Amino acid sequence: MDLAYTEEEEAFRAELRAWLTATVPTLAPRPDPADWPGRRAYDSTWQRMLYDAGYAGLHWPAEAGGRGATPTQHLIFLEETERAKAPYVGAHFVGLLHAGPTIAAEGTPQQRRRWLPPILRGDEVWCQGFSEPEAGSDLAALRTRAVRDGDSYVVTGSKIWTSHAEVADWCELLVRTDPEAPRHQGITWLAMPMNADGIKVRPLRTLAGSREFAEVFLDEVRVPVANRVGEENDGWRVTMVTLSFERGTAFAGEVIACQRTLREVAAMARRNGSWDDQTLRRRVGRLAAEFSVLWRLIQWNVSAAQDGTGVPGVGGSVFKLRYSQARQELYDTAAAVLGVEALDTSREWTVDRLSSLSYTIAAGTSQIQKNIVAERILGLPKGP
Amino acid sequence: MRFQLNDDQRALRGGVRELLAGRFGRDRMRACVADPSVDRRLWRELGAAGVFGLRLEEMGLAEAALVFEEAGRALLPGPLVATHLSAGVVDGAAEGEAVVAGCDGALVDHLPDADAVLWLDESGAFVVDPAELVTVELRSVDPMTPLNRVTVRPAEGRALPGAARLRREAVLLTAAQQCGIAGRTLESAVEYAGVRRQFGRAIGAFQAVKHLCADMLVRVEMARTAVHAAAVTGDPVETAAAKLLADEAAVRNSRDCLQIFAGTGFTWEADVHLHMKRAWLLSTRFAREGEIQDALASSLPAPGIW
C-alpha cells in the first residue's frame, strides 16, 4: 500500500505538465456562459489541441483510437489539467465519457470507425437522451417508442434534462422497441442525428439562471437501423456496461478545484473578519479534512481499478454521496463568509452555490444512490 | 501508485481477526465487562503475536493501523496504544510482560494495572511511575476501560525523544480502532436488518433503514481511506483529518446501529452499547473534534500554494 507514483507515472506527469504550461496561456478567453455556439467552439478547439498532442481519449483502449492509459495515468491527467486551470471537457462530456466508450465496447467495426474519431478530434458533439418526464430515477420506465419501418426506426416521444442538446450533432438515445417485454428487456440504444426531421429542442432554464439543458421532443423521427448499437431490445445492458465502470473519477478535477476554492474562502474570511468566528473556522477545518480524504478515496478507487479488484460502480456511489454533500457545504460556507454579498449573483461563488444544488440530484439522486449502496454492496433486500 | 492493501497486509488482517476471535471471543469479552482488570495472560498472548512489538520487526505504521482496526472491531480492551508505542522503550512492553497505560494529560486508562504510564501531551512524551500520579477515579462509562482523571501534573518523568511522532501515532492508532468500531457496527446493523422482521418483511427492505445503513458504509469507507492514507504518508494534517472522520464514523455508526436494533439495542445484553461507549471514550483520546478542526483550519495554505 503506497501513495508514491512510479517513475513512469512521474515521467508522464512531467511531460503533460510541460505541455500544459506551454499551451494553456495561448488559449483565447472563455466565452460567455450563455453563448452556446461560442462554448462549443471553445471546447472543440481545446479537444483538438488535446488530440494533436496525443492526449485525446487517454483512457480509451488503443483499438478505439485512445492511448490505452492506465487508470492512474488518467487520474494524473485530470489532476494536472485542473491544476493548470485548463478547460474542462465541456460540450464533449457525453461523447468522451459515455457515448464513445459505449460504442467502443459494443459497436461494430464500422460504427467505431464512423463515430469514434470525430469524438476524439472534437469535431462532433453528443448529447444524452435517457431521462423522460415520466422516467427519472426509474429510468427503465421510459416510454419513447421506436417502431421498425424498413431500414429505419420511427421514433416518437420526449426526452428531458438533455445537456448540450442545442449544439449537439448526435444523441445517444434510449427507446422502447418492445412494449410487451419486461421493462428492462424492451429497450434499444440508438445514435440519433440531431439534424433529423421531427426533432424540436426547448431549452430549460436552471435555477441558477443558465440554460444548461433542454427538453427534446421527437415526432416520427427516422433513425437508420444501422445506427443501432447492440441488439434490438438489449439497450439496457449496452448502456449499463459503461455506466457501471464509473468510479468517481469524473469528479477528480472538481475535488482539486474545491480544495482551491476552500483556500480562497479561508483567505477571504481572514481579510473580512469572519475568521474570528470559531464556528466558521471549524466548518472550514472540517471541509479541509473532507476534501483531502475525498481525493484519497479517488486514489483508492483508481488503484482498485488498476488492480481489477473491487466492485465496479460501488466506489462511485460512495464517493458521489459524500462529494455532493461536501460541495454543497463548501458553497454554503462561502456564502457565510460573503455575508450579504452572497445575495449578489454577479459573485462567482453565489452562482456556484446555486449550481451545487444539482449535485445531489443529477446522475442518480442521493436517495437512489443509497438504495444502490444498500442493495448491491450491503446486500439488503429489495424494497416493497 | 498502488493505494490498496497488498497480499501480506491482507494476510496480516485476516490473521489478527482469527487470533482475536479465538482468544477474545464473546464470552471473554462479556467476562471483561464484569471485571475490567487487564488479563495478563491475554496481554502476553497479544505480545507473542506481535501486537505491541510488530514495528520492531520491520513492519510499518500501515500494518500497525490494520492491527489496531481489528482490535477496535473486536472491542479488545487494555491500554493498547500506549503499550504499543512503548515497545523498545519500556522493558517488557513489546512482549506484553508490561502493561503501559496511556495518559493524554487529562485521563489515564487502566491505571490500577499499569506497570508504567506513557504521558503524551503538548509538553512532550514521558514515562511516568504510576505511583507518582495523583488522580481521581471515574466511574467509567466504558465498563471495560477503568479511567482516572489526573488532578496534579507529575513533577518527574523520563523524557522520550520524538514526542511529536509518538503523539501523531497515538492519534492515528486510536483512529484505526475507531474504524474497526465503525465497520463492526455496520456489519451488526446490516445483519440484524436482514433477519429482524416487521410488517411481514425484513426491516432492511424499508428505505428508512436502508439509508441509515448506506450512510454508515459511506462513513466507514471515508474513515478507513483517511486512516490508510495517514498511515502511509505520516503527515500530521492527514492524521488529524483521519481522527476527525474516524471518530465521527465510530460515534455515529454505533448510534445508528443502536437505532436499528431499537429496544433490543437499549439493553445491557446487546453489545451495541459497548461499541458506542468505547467510541465515545476514544473520540476524546489524544485529539478531539474541536481542536482538530481548529488545527486543520489554521494549517490551510494560502491560495496559489500547492
Side-chain angles (χ1 to χ4, degrees):
Chain A
M1 185 163 64
D2 73 64
L3 282 157
Y5 292 89
T6 64
E7 258 177 54
E8 220 180 347
E9 288 161 352
E10 288 298 356
F12 172 80
R13 185 193 297 277
E15 174 205 319
L16 171 63
R17 194 177 284 178
W19 181 75
L20 287 166
T21 307
T23 310
V24 172
T26 68
L27 291 171
R30 290 186 193 218
D32 186 281
D35 173 14
W36 268 104
R39 279 172 71 172
R40 173 180 167 149
Y42 183 83
D43 294 344
S44 297
T45 302
W46 172 243
Q47 184 58 32
R48 181 65 198 217
M49 291 165 89
L50 288 172
Y51 179 83
D52 289 340
Y55 290 115
L58 192 66
H59 60 299
W60 285 22
E63 61 269 25
R67 193 156 148 176
T70 64
T72 304
Q73 286 174 326
H74 185 222
L75 182 64
I76 291 169
F77 174 82
L78 296 170
E79 181 184 1
E80 291 297 325
T81 46
E82 179 54 44
R83 287 195 198 283
K85 298 190 180 179
Y88 183 55
V89 61
H92 298 283
F93 182 91
V94 172
L96 285 163
L97 275 82
H98 197 260
T102 302
I103 294 163
E106 298 287 328
T108 63
Q110 296 95 308
Q111 289 174 329
R112 292 181 185 200
R113 275 198 300 278
R114 166 62 191 88
W115 285 312
L116 298 184
I119 291 174
L120 292 170
R121 284 195 304 263
D123 292 343
E124 290 184 346
V125 168
W126 285 68
C127 62
Q128 193 173 70
F130 286 4
S131 297
E132 297 180 5
E134 302 300 325
S137 293
D138 186 11
L139 181 59
L142 63 91
R143 294 192 304 204
T144 291
R145 280 283 282 133
V147 180
R148 183 87 177 250
D149 179 29
D151 289 340
S152 296
Y153 288 104
V154 180
V155 183
T156 299
S158 67
K159 294 290 175 179
I160 199 164
W161 321 131
T162 306
S163 301
H164 311 122
E166 290 168 84
V167 293
D169 305 294
W170 295 93
C171 179
E172 58 164 339
L173 191 70
L174 287 182
V175 293
R176 188 156 300 282
T177 32
D178 185 354
E180 308 303 322
R183 294 166 5 124
H184 296 86
Q185 290 163 33
I187 294 170
T188 299
W189 194 105
L190 298 176
M192 177 177 75
M194 287 299 283
N195 61 2
D197 288 340
I199 301 177
K200 208 166 77 189
V201 175
R202 186 177 81 89
L204 292 164
R205 202 166 174 211
T206 72
L207 57 73
S210 58
R211 292 177 201 281
E212 296 293 329
F213 45 42
E215 208 168 353
V216 179
F217 300 97
L218 308 171
D219 182 18
E220 299 191 354
V221 180
R222 295 189 79 88
V223 178
V225 172
N227 289 15
R228 187 187 73 214
V229 170
E231 295 302 311
E232 188 170 285
N233 297 327
D234 198 26
W236 185 263
R237 188 195 60 79
V238 167
T239 302
M240 293 304 152
V241 161
T242 310
L243 279 189
S244 69
F245 282 98
E246 171 56 50
R247 292 186 190 246
T249 46
F251 299 107
E254 292 190 17
V255 170
I256 303 277
C258 285
Q259 288 179 307
R260 181 163 54 218
T261 301
L262 185 65
R263 286 161 194 211
E264 288 165 0
V265 168
M268 175 175 281
R270 287 185 173 113
R271 284 197 304 272
N272 74 8
S274 41
W275 199 246
D276 295 338
D277 175 0
Q278 187 186 57
T279 310
L280 181 109
R281 280 201 313 273
R282 289 185 169 178
R283 277 171 83 177
V284 171
R286 206 211 124 92
L287 284 167
E290 200 70 22
F291 286 113
S292 109
V293 176
L294 282 166
W295 176 255
R296 296 303 192 199
L297 185 58
I298 291 174
Q299 291 180 309
W300 183 264
N301 290 339
V302 163
S303 295
Q306 188 127 333
D307 283 4
T309 60
V311 187
V314 162
S317 287
V318 168
F319 174 87
K320 185 176 179 283
L321 275 165
R322 193 76 172 223
Y323 168 61
S324 54
Q325 199 184 338
R327 188 181 176 92
Q328 291 174 356
E329 281 165 15
L330 169 65
Y331 286 106
D332 286 346
T333 305
V337 170
L338 283 172
V340 292
E341 298 286 314
L343 301 175
D344 179 356
T345 57
S346 58
R347 286 273 184 183
E348 193 184 345
W349 290 347
T350 302
V351 177
D352 288 340
R353 185 188 190 195
L354 292 167
S355 303
S356 77
L357 299 171
S358 74
Y359 279 72
T360 45
I361 299 168
T365 64
S366 291
Q367 287 66 35
I368 290 292
Q369 299 288 351
K370 287 182 190 181
N371 288 350
I372 290 171
V373 164
E375 289 170 14
R376 296 197 206 149
I377 308 177
L378 298 175
L380 287 168
K382 286 246 173 212
Chain B
M1 181 188 67
R2 193 176 181 280
F3 189 37
Q4 287 281 305
L5 300 193
N6 61 36
D7 292 343
D8 289 346
Q9 289 166 335
R10 268 185 255 274
L12 174 69
R13 185 178 60 182
V16 175
R17 186 170 295 191
E18 205 175 308
L19 172 88
L20 294 180
R23 306 285 165 86
F24 192 68
R26 187 158 190 276
D27 289 350
R28 277 289 271 288
M29 193 265 281
R30 294 306 298 210
C32 182
V33 170
D35 173 12
S37 54
V38 174
D39 178 343
R40 293 276 176 170
R41 211 186 80 193
L42 175 64
W43 208 248
R44 279 191 290 272
E45 286 171 345
L46 295 174
V51 168
F52 306 125
L54 70 101
R55 283 194 296 150
L56 305 175
E57 295 158 19
E58 293 180 2
M59 285 208 223
L61 196 55
E63 284 73 24
L66 288 173
V67 171
F68 274 72
E69 181 178 341
E70 290 304 315
R73 191 175 178 281
L75 275 176
L76 192 64
L80 298 159
V81 170
T83 303
H84 175 92
L85 293 178
S86 300
V89 175
V90 172
D91 285 346
E95 299 78 19
E97 296 294 338
V99 172
V100 185
C103 181
D104 55 11
L107 280 181
V108 54
D109 58 355
H110 297 277
L111 184 62
D113 291 302
D115 301 310
V117 173
L118 177 65
W119 182 288
L120 273 179
D121 69 358
E122 311 80 43
S123 67
F126 308 91
V127 178
V128 180
D129 182 348
E132 298 286 313
L133 285 187
V134 182
T135 66
V136 174
E137 188 185 337
L138 306 186
R139 284 180 58 167
S140 175
V141 68
D142 174 2
M144 288 188 269
T145 311
L147 290 174
N148 286 63
R149 188 163 53 80
V150 179
T151 51
V152 183
R153 238 191 110 81
E156 293 290 316
R158 174 158 65 100
L160 298 179
R165 175 186 60 83
L166 286 170
R167 196 145 174 259
R168 199 169 64 235
E169 292 180 358
V171 170
L172 181 78
L173 295 178
T174 307
Q177 286 175 281
Q178 295 284 50
C179 281
I181 293 175
R184 184 72 188 90
T185 46
L186 167 64
E187 287 166 31
S188 301
V190 168
E191 191 192 341
Y192 188 71
V195 294
R196 168 73 175 167
R197 296 179 71 83
Q198 289 288 278
F199 305 102
R201 53 173 59 92
I203 59 170
F206 296 104
Q207 288 194 352
V209 174
K210 251 179 211 166
H211 289 190
L212 280 177
C213 293
D215 289 339
M216 291 169 79
L217 177 76
V218 173
R219 288 186 208 117
V220 170
E221 296 284 316
M222 286 288 282
R224 201 176 268 155
T225 302
V227 167
H228 288 330
V232 168
T233 64
D235 178 71
V237 175
E238 285 203 273
T239 303
K243 180 72 162 49
L244 182 72
L245 265 54
D247 284 344
E248 182 189 86
V251 169
R252 295 189 61 185
N253 278 17
S254 53
R255 284 286 297 273
D256 285 349
C257 180
L258 198 156
Q259 187 67 24
I260 288 168
F261 272 79
T264 301
F266 193 66
T267 66
W268 189 265
E269 283 72 26
D271 293 340
V272 192
H273 71 105
L274 300 171
H275 288 105
M276 189 191 72
K277 290 165 179 174
R278 183 68 58 81
W280 282 3
L281 166 59
L282 294 181
S283 70
T284 70
R285 298 288 276 168
F286 302 111
R288 290 162 185 252
E289 183 183 16
E291 71 187 62
I292 294 174
Q293 288 168 328
D294 288 341
L296 289 171
S298 56
S299 69
L300 262 186
I305 301 171
W306 286 101

